[in-house]
Amino acid sequence: MTEVLFYHLTESALDDALPPLLEKSLERGWRAVVQTGSDERRDALDTHLWTYRDDSFLAHGTEHDQHAQHQPVLLTTGTGNANAARIRFMVDGAEPPELSGYDRAVFMFDGHDMSQVEQARGHWKAMKTAGHAATYWQQTPERRWERKA
């Protein structure tokens, strides 16, 4: 079964929280796919990942790039896995595809957006019903992740 993590953003925005998680995934040798809820969010993340920190960037591409299969991080609005990722991030209300082909799946949701919170609750129930090992993580005031369930 796929390990499923729910990350409840309470202290920082997705733009701040996602890049370090992608870096950790790449350090493990995993390719990642980030599924967004809209084309606009995908395109904004595409720009942000090149410039989010002065001393580095995250090599990545989008589903529309000519060599999407070679990207270490692939941004998409679709359900495919063109870069053979081992970890999938669902952000900004993205609906997950079948997750059994991944080692890990991560739902990231904004705790200040009640529609995202409600959607995450629904995904939590669905993942537990499907038999996935799901854990829930919430940000501390120091922006660290603390396991709550």
Side-chain angles (χ1 to χ4, degrees), residues 62-131:
T62 72
E63 61 199 323
H64 300 298
D65 290 343
Q66 186 175 15
H67 300 288
Q69 71 275 14
H70 299 299
Q71 298 298 332
V73 175
L74 185 67
L75 307 175
T76 184
T77 58
T79 59
N81 186 9
N83 68 337
R86 293 178 57 194
I87 184 169
R88 184 176 199 95
F89 291 84
M90 276 74 53
V91 302
D92 205 36
E95 288 293 323
E98 167 59 41
L99 297 175
S100 62
Y102 297 93
D103 292 338
R104 182 175 287 174
V106 179
F107 290 85
M108 297 185 77
F109 60 100
D110 182 347
H112 303 290
D113 181 333
M114 291 316 296
S115 66
Q116 284 191 32
V117 171
E118 287 301 317
Q119 187 178 40
R121 287 179 181 144
H123 290 314
W124 173 269
K125 290 175 187 171
M127 295 299 114
K128 295 294 272 184
T129 299

